[in-house]
Amino acid sequence: MCATPIAIPEPVIDALRNARHIVVLTGAGVSAESGIPTFREAQTGLWAQYRPEELATPEAFQRHPERVWRWYEWRRSLVRQAAPNPGHLALARMERLAPRFTLITQNVDGLHQAAGNRHVLELHGNIMRSRCSREGRIVEPDPNDTHVPPRCPHCGAFLRPDVVWFGEALPADALTAAQEAATDADVFLSVGTSTIVYPAAALPFDALAHGAFVVEINPATTPLTPHAHAALRGPAGRILPALVD
Ligand code: BJW
């Protein structure tokens, strides 16, 4: 049986059609339909007893490095099994269709690149990379290292995932490029994000302040909803394909 077609409001279609620069901010909701749990949904199994906010911090890693590393290993295993969903694929198509297109993601799973997006600004890093917790350099863990967490092959310090934890600075180049894109956008799509984690959450508001037409795509309401020009309620994997058809 076919799902009911999604009706996209005319002003959204017009704005997209006439846009010189489309900017998209994505969050965990875009990968939910690929089987990757969103950040603030209930954790499952072994990890149900911990709140992600209590694991994704430098303090948690300092106190419980083994527990935090194992949580990331579990999440990496989900990412390895995941494939881009129709929402990711629609954004890859949008990049090819738009005169200018910037994709900004808070996701650490690399699924936008796997879907074919060529230019992705990763604000919160990438879970598949590891870096030295002392010197910061990106390293490949030694496959024969049985320590948990594995040790840096150069200096022996713990390795950590190359992601941005609470209280840590975002990569300056990606953040600056994202802020410049937001203030230059004609159309700004905020997709699958709760819009509560800063500085990423400020980007749609920067876009609004600079005159962009802002569209939210999310089954739930967020702090952005009352300010957006349009709020398309539903899963990204259904709504995004309807925008590029
Ligand atoms: C669907 C769907 C479907 C479901 N389709 N949708 C200003 C005010 C207040 C606080 C601060 C502030 N500025 C900074 C702060 C502090 C803090 C912060 O924002 N705290 C808030 C909680 C209040 N920010 C920071 O600490 C940041 N650092 C910083 O500001 O540093 C300053 C500094 C400068 C110089 C030197 C030193 C420091 C860092 C933030 C890092 C966030 N890191 C994480 C973890 C990444 C690694 C990992 O993955 O483990 O990033 S936290 C987590 O939240 C993760 C996400 O990227 C991020 C955002 O979450 P997201 O993507 O929105 O997911 P959810 O789960 O929240 O929402 C999913 C949404 O999808 C929901 O709305 C669903 O409805 C929807 N959905 N299914 C579409 N099918």
Side-chain angles (χ1 to χ4, degrees):
M1 210 167 66
C2 280
T4 324
I6 302 270
I8 305 297
E10 208 57 44
V12 175
I13 296 170
D14 285 349
L16 283 168
R17 225 178 248 142
N18 298 323
R20 177 189 49 88
H21 187 182
I22 299 175
V23 177
V24 182
L25 171 68
T26 63
V30 170
S31 293
E33 291 156 86
S34 293
I36 300 178
T38 66
F39 218 80
R40 286 165 187 83
E41 276 170 350
Q43 296 292 96
T44 50
L46 185 61
W47 299 107
Q49 57 186 310
Y50 303 109
R51 291 176 58 230
E53 291 86 341
E54 288 161 5
L55 292 162
T57 70
E59 294 75 24
F61 187 65
Q62 242 165 22
R63 259 185 248 131
H64 307 289
E66 179 175 340
R67 179 192 299 166
V68 172
W69 183 266
R70 286 195 194 282
W71 183 59
Y72 278 95
E73 273 298 280
W74 170 69
R75 291 179 54 208
R76 284 191 194 106
S77 73
L78 298 180
V79 171
R80 280 190 205 100
Q81 292 163 35
N85 66 55
H88 293 109
L89 297 173
L91 290 176
R93 186 159 142 73
M94 205 180 278
E95 178 176 279
R96 291 192 290 273
L97 295 174
R100 187 152 180 235
F101 184 84
T102 305
L103 180 54
I104 307 163
T105 190
Q106 300 166 83
N107 297 345
V108 296
D109 55 34
L111 286 178
H112 288 304
Q113 292 91 330
N117 279 104
R118 282 162 296 190
H119 306 291
V120 184
L121 297 173
E122 290 183 319
L123 292 184
H124 294 163
N126 192 300
I127 197 170
M128 302 313 281
R129 285 192 304 259
S130 299
R131 68 177 146 95
C132 174
S133 61
R134 185 184 297 152
E135 296 167 335
R137 68 169 107 170
I138 303 293
V139 288
E140 275 300 324
D142 174 350
N144 299 317
D145 185 351
T146 52
H147 294 102
V148 181
R151 304 301 196 255
C152 173
H154 304 285
C155 74
F158 289 149
L159 293 187
R160 57 162 286 178
D162 185 29
V163 297
V164 181
W165 284 328
F166 283 114
E168 294 184 325
L170 277 63
D173 291 359
L175 180 59
T176 302
Q179 286 164 335
E180 285 174 1
T183 56
D184 183 60
D186 305 298
V187 174
F188 188 104
L189 307 182
S190 181
V191 191
T193 175
S194 54
T195 327
I196 58 174
V197 175
Y198 283 82
L203 294 170
F205 293 97
D206 292 345
L208 273 172
H210 285 80
F213 187 87
V214 173
V215 181
E216 180 174 65
I217 298 170
N218 198 315
T221 58
T222 78
L224 176 64
T225 312
H227 305 279
H229 293 97
L232 306 180
R233 294 268 144 265
R238 283 204 68 212
I239 291 177
L240 287 170
L243 298 183
V244 290
D245 275 352

